[in-house]
Amino acid sequence: MNRSVPARSIRGMTMRMGICGIATAMLVSGCAVGPNFHRPAAPETKGYTAKPLPEKTASANAPHGAAQTFAPGKDIPAQWWTLFHSQALDALIKKAIAANPDLQAARDSLKQAQETVYAAEGVFLPSVDFKGTAAHQKISYALYGRPGTGGTQYTLYNTSVNVSYGIDIFGLARRQFESYEAQRQYQLFQTEAAYLTLTSNVVTTAVQEASLAAQIAATKEIITSEAKQLDILRQQYAVGAAAQSDVLAQQTTLAQSKATLPPLQKQLAAAQNLLATLAGRLPSQGSGASFDLASLQLPAELPVSLPSKLVEQRPDIRAAEAQLHEASAQVGVATANMLPQFTLTGGYGRVGTHTNDLLSPVNDIWNFGAGLAQPIFHGGTLLHQRRAASAAFRKAAAQYRATVLTAFRNVADTLRALEADADALAAQADADRSASDSLALAKDQFKEGAISYLSLLNAEKAYEQAHIALVQAQATRYADTAALFQALGGGWWHRNDIAEIDAAAKQSANK
């Protein structure tokens, strides 16, 4: 004997089965396919260079020739450029950070990546949609076997709320979200790299401007001295105390010295234009600042981060790590795409031929269901997509290792350059001092007729080359000092805005 089951009981059983199914799915969804990402370990090394660093560099008896002390393990300040003690430089960098379009574009790209992560969070919650329709229609009684009897018209109203939820049993949604978060991390460190590049470029360009200004000033001094010497030769030639060939040779030397000015002035103008554009201004507007070596102070202590910390501090390494993380997540996505996907759907609404019918529970309609999609045959597409994702992961791992090697080489090159710069400046200071003394003695001897003009000319050329080289050696120390701060990461981890962004990202990832 068959007994009918009330509709209410069927509905209750269905709902209980659905709840059990959801609970079971939530328990199963604790595991996600694909590799779990682990940050690569820092290289096991205690130093950057093959031989230990000295405690300090050499000193020189010349302006900007003080020794610099290496401070292993000391942290880098966020605003490292303030160590040069130049108010003009600090003000210009502040302008550049506020107005540089490249940095602004990087910030907006970061904001875009953040919003993409926020949007991706929705996959972990059910999607709920409301739908309402009103349709006026006519039906023919011929559909019911009564042809020729006309039909009827009516308006049908329908409102419903539909719910859909994908059960992330194998971690497809979680791995995809992990990929978006890794992209956000990548863009975060790309933004930081843009910040570091901008500030470093401002410092090095300011140093270049100061160097060129000093070289131009030195060249003008040399031209003035050579012009005076030409006047003396002309006077001596007039009284028969000098040969015409000596006058012509001095004229040639003076002309050659004057010819070195336009290239230096061209480079100076280019440096000034670059400073203006770095600050977000047109070249015609200028940067609003000018620099000379006397306005800069060489940092006496050079922080040298521990090698184990470099992989955490270099923005390019952290960006490469984020790309590796993204590639790892994509392996999980490709793997999950080969496995079953489960969904739960449900809907509730009311239907009627009058709007008042929508207020009566008699006109309730509802549905509840579960879906399963299992890929069976896709012509090998899913398999090869997974293999491609695995190859991309290996590629990202190799690129990460290459980035780390390049970073350590940058630091090693800069540290050795600073040592060499100090030695070069000390030697160049001695050469400049000797050349200056030699030139002064040669001028006195030439006036007294003790040496030939050729000897004087050689002394002039030696001094000209030594003096210009001294200015270049002084500027090189400043440029390589800035390069060291850039190579070590620039202290971005002490900035509040980066800390706030990272905290918001971690809170989002834990939801």
Side-chain angles (χ1 to χ4, degrees), residues 310-443:
L310 187 66
V311 294
E312 299 178 6
Q313 296 177 179
R314 283 273 296 221
D316 56 343
I317 294 179
R318 297 295 295 273
E321 178 189 317
Q323 288 182 310
L324 179 61
H325 192 172
E326 180 187 357
S328 171
Q330 286 300 320
V331 174
V333 170
T335 304
N337 280 330
M338 303 173 67
L339 300 172
Q341 307 298 324
F342 299 89
T343 57
L344 295 176
T345 58
Y348 174 79
R350 288 178 180 174
V351 64
T353 56
H354 299 85
T355 54
N356 290 338
D357 294 339
L358 301 179
L359 303 177
S360 174
V362 176
N363 299 309
D364 286 0
I365 57 173
W366 60 269
N367 65 79
F368 182 87
L372 166 66
Q374 168 62 60
I376 297 177
F377 178 74
H378 287 255
T381 299
L382 299 179
L383 173 63
H384 291 292
Q385 286 177 343
R386 187 182 186 282
R387 290 178 178 176
S390 298
F393 175 73
R394 294 192 297 271
K395 172 186 173 184
Q399 291 174 333
Y400 174 83
R401 293 194 299 272
T403 303
V404 171
L405 290 173
T406 300
F408 275 75
R409 176 171 58 83
N410 291 158
V411 177
D413 289 347
T414 308
L415 290 173
R416 287 307 182 202
L418 287 167
E419 286 188 76
D421 292 343
D423 294 336
L425 179 59
Q428 200 57 56
D430 292 340
D432 179 76
R433 190 163 45 254
S434 297
S436 178
D437 294 342
S438 178
L439 177 59
L441 178 61
K443 286 180 179 180

Side-chain angles (χ1 to χ4, degrees), residues 26-220:
M26 292 178 67
L27 290 173
V28 176
S29 63
C31 60
V33 296
N36 293 320
F37 180 74
H38 300 283
R39 290 188 63 185
E44 295 182 0
T45 179
K46 295 182 179 180
Y48 295 102
T49 55
K51 63 179 183 178
L53 283 174
E55 181 181 347
K56 61 176 65 176
T57 65
S59 61
N61 185 19
H64 317 288
Q68 291 178 296
T69 301
F70 295 110
K74 186 171 182 179
D75 208 355
I76 301 171
Q79 297 180 338
W80 53 269
W81 53 87
T82 59
L83 299 177
F84 291 94
H85 298 286
S86 170
Q87 294 182 354
L89 182 61
D90 297 346
L92 182 59
I93 290 180
K94 185 177 180 180
K95 291 179 183 178
I97 292 172
N100 183 267
D102 292 333
L103 183 57
Q104 185 59 53
R107 287 169 172 162
D108 289 334
S109 295
L110 174 58
K111 181 64 176 177
Q112 178 185 3
Q114 288 174 332
E115 294 300 329
T116 300
V117 171
Y118 297 152
E121 289 179 339
V123 74
F124 300 114
L125 299 173
S127 59
V128 182
D129 299 294
F130 172 80
K131 183 178 180 181
T133 61
H136 187 74
Q137 58 189 22
K138 176 183 178 181
I139 63 172
S140 173
Y141 292 145
L143 294 173
Y144 306 102
R146 296 167 57 190
T149 57
T152 185
Q153 299 183 35
Y154 63 93
T155 301
L156 185 65
Y157 299 92
N158 186 351
T159 61
S160 63
V161 176
N162 298 307
V163 181
S164 177
Y165 179 68
I167 306 174
D168 194 30
I169 292 181
F170 297 108
L172 173 61
R174 278 168 290 161
R175 292 304 187 197
Q176 189 63 61
F177 179 80
E178 184 181 349
S179 174
Y180 288 135
E181 173 58 25
Q183 291 175 29
R184 188 204 67 84
Q185 285 284 331
Y186 170 77
Q187 195 55 55
L188 170 64
F189 291 111
Q190 284 292 92
T191 302
E192 191 45 52
Y195 184 100
L196 178 57
T197 299
L198 172 63
T199 54
S200 299
N201 283 344
V202 172
V203 174
T204 54
T205 306
V207 170
Q208 183 183 19
E209 179 188 357
S211 172
L212 290 167
Q215 291 180 57
I216 289 173
T219 302
K220 287 181 177 179

Side-chain angles (χ1 to χ4, degrees), residues 67 79 125 164 223 229 246 260 333 398 460 475 478 481 483 492 498:
Q79 297 180 338
L125 299 173
S164 177
I223 290 173
Q229 187 63 37
D246 293 341
T260 62
V333 170
E460 286 179 343
Y478 281 98
T481 298
W492 59 267
I498 293 296

